């Protein structure tokens, strides 16, 4: 018995999973060939499980910007910005992000996860109330745990429930802070942000929106769901990440609140970790520019998303409530989901296997995330492979035999 004995049930479940085929949680690609293709066990595999929404990981101009700065400024900052100072690039990226969002201030974090940890745990203090969507990402839950505010959950995407919970808090002292996501990462559904903003106005709460999956995806300029539904003025803090549409790593928060910069000396996940390497900052800054200069990437992404959603829904698979770059197929049970995922992988298609309790519906999901870089032919291949495996595993009827031609 060791200290890790407490993980025995997890080990048992994990061993069982691995006994059924590949390990979905530690695949080793032989090579990444492009934003949409990798090599796995010697075979070309379509990548349909990354968050590379605009396909910018291989963008020439981003690679060049990054390489140049890497050579000039080295591989890392080796410390936090409060200890080691900022490089030009950090401040410049903050200015560009603030400009892009039309906000006064911006703070860049080392990951999107840390942006949520930092903002939630610092902005909401002891005696305040964080009112979060029940299906929030782990980084939002962890941000709540790191801070000292009371935490209340409202039913997923239910503004009436949100309103009820805020009304119950109305006589309690302390600030109330609503937290919602633009586009939810498991089912690809968007928040009813117009209605949430109305509740915020009526109850005098603050509003934080995590646009991790909606930046570069939604809104005329790609600022996310708040832009798309016209409620940006109601959002006090926009949190986002560089690891999806911008193709790198890092996170940020923008705001108009006076004294926002005080957080730089109050926010532990900003203060006590090394800042982003200058080369990452450089590729991100360039990706932000490309994202704004090439709105056609967003159009292509949404066309690809619709194509995949229509294809899978048309085959009879249970997909999420709306077409979006996240297209998830609900599986009846765990064993079936694992078998399906392995069969797709063997056929040359990689996507995410999401198992309860990490899924919002309590059922396993096969989760695809689409990229602007996918060709329509790759999307069609993905749909065909779903159909083929569905027939193999007996959830789709056999294809009608081809008519003989004379
Ligand atoms: C909604 C949401 N917020 C934050 C994050 C964290 O982002 P990062 O990967 O940059 O740490 C994720 C990551 O998937 C996410 O889905």
């Amino acid at each position: 018995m060791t200290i890790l004995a407490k993980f025995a049930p997890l080990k048992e479940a994990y061993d069982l999973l691995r006994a059924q085929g590949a390990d979905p949680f530690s695949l080793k690609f032989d090579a990444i060939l492009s934003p949409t293709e990798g090599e796995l066990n010697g075979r070309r595999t379509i990548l349909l499980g990354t968050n590379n929404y605009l396909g910018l990981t291989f963008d020439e101009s981003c690679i060049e910007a990054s390489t140049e700065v890497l050579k000039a400024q080295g591989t890392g900052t080796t410390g936090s910005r409060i200890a080691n100072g900022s490089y030009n690039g950090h401040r410049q990226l903050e200015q560009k992000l603030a400009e892009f969002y039309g906000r006064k201030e911006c703070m860049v974090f080392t990951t999107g996860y840390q942006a949520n940890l930092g903002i939630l745990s610092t902005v909401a203090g002891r005696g305040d109330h964080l009112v979060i969507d029940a299906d929030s990402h782990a980084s939002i839950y962890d941000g709540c745990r790191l801070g000292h505010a009371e935490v209340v959950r409202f039913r997923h995407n239910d503004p009436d429930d949100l309103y009820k919970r805020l009304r119950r808090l109305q006589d309690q002292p302390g600030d109330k802070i609503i937290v919602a996501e633009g586009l939810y990462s498991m089912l690809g559904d968007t928040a009813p942000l117009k209605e949430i903003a109305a509740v915020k106005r009526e109850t005098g709460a603050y509003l934080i929106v995590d646009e991790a999956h909606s930046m570069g995806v939604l809104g005329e300029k790609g600022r996310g769901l708040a832009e798309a539904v016209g409620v940006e003025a109601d959002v006090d803090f926009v949190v986002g990440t560089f690891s999806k549409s911008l193709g790198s790593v890092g996170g940020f928060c923008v705001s108009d609140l006076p004294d926002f910069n005080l957080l730089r000396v109050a926010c532990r996940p900003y203060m006590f970790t090394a800042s982003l390497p200058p080369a990452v900052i450089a590729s991100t800054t360039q990706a932000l520019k490309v994202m704004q200069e090439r709105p056609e990437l967003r159009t292509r992404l949404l066309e690809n998303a619709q194509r995949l959603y229509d294809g899978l829904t048309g085959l009879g698979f249970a997909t999420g409530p709306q077409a979006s770059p996240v297209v998830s197929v609900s599986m009846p049970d765990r064993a079936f989901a694992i078998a399906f995922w392995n069969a797709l992988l063997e056929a040359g298609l990689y996507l995410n296997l999401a198992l309860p309790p990490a899924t919002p519906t309590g059922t396993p999901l096969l989760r695809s995330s689409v990229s602007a870089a996918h060709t329509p032919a790759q999307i069609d291949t993905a749909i065909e492979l779903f159909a083929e495996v569905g027939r193999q595993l007996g959830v789709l009827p056999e294809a009608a035999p081809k008519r003989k031609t004379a």
Side-chain angles (χ1 to χ4, degrees), residues 156-389:
H156 176 55
N157 274 356
D158 186 340
D160 294 336
D161 192 46
L162 169 65
Y163 180 70
K164 238 186 284 166
R165 288 170 196 274
L166 280 162
R167 283 299 296 250
R168 273 186 222 147
L169 293 173
Q170 71 180 350
D171 295 329
Q172 299 213 25
D175 287 316
K176 324 290 180 317
I177 304 115
I178 304 167
V179 187
E181 294 175 32
L183 199 152
Y184 284 85
S185 59
M186 279 290 155
L187 293 178
D189 50 336
T190 48
L193 208 50
K194 246 188 177 161
E195 292 77 2
I196 290 175
V199 172
K200 170 234 153 104
R201 285 194 298 273
E202 189 169 340
T203 56
Y206 287 88
L207 177 57
I208 299 178
V209 179
D210 179 346
E211 301 269 20
H213 289 269
S214 31
M215 179 196 199
V217 173
L218 299 176
E220 201 194 325
K221 302 283 183 206
R223 291 196 293 264
L225 182 66
E227 185 200 1
V229 301
V231 297
E232 285 178 290
D234 293 304
V235 181
D236 300 288
F237 303 92
V238 180
V239 175
T241 174
F242 306 150
S243 69
K244 306 191 193 306
S245 286
L246 298 180
S248 65
V249 66
F252 70 92
C253 177
V254 295
S255 178
D256 276 333
L257 256 76
D259 293 333
F260 180 73
N261 280 313
L262 260 183
L263 298 186
R264 293 185 198 272
V265 287
C267 178
R268 298 172 69 86
Y270 175 86
M271 294 161 68
F272 297 109
T273 194
S275 62
L276 282 170
V280 171
I281 292 282
S283 81
T284 307
T285 307
Q286 179 60 22
L288 182 64
K289 185 163 181 270
V290 174
M291 187 180 93
Q292 292 171 81
E293 287 174 354
R294 299 189 58 200
E296 71 274 15
L297 292 177
R298 198 152 53 252
T299 309
R300 211 178 299 154
L301 166 68
L302 297 175
E303 283 167 6
N304 282 343
Q306 190 74 49
R307 192 179 188 97
L308 182 66
Y309 183 82
D310 289 347
L312 296 180
T313 311
L315 284 170
F317 286 106
T319 48
Q322 65 194 82
S324 93
V326 176
V327 183
S328 286
V329 171
S330 196
M331 296 274 113
D333 61 56
R334 201 179 167 89
F336 188 83
I338 294 167
F340 209 114
W341 181 85
N342 272 293
L344 286 176
L345 192 66
E346 273 163 33
L349 179 64
Y350 164 74
L351 42 69
N352 303 140
L353 172 68
L355 297 173
T359 62
T361 50
T363 57
L365 297 173
L366 296 183
R367 175 185 177 274
S368 307
S369 42
V370 177
S371 173
H374 284 120
T375 61
Q378 284 176 315
I379 300 286
D380 290 345
T381 302
I383 298 166
E384 279 158 28
L385 291 176
F386 259 92
E388 221 169 82
V389 172

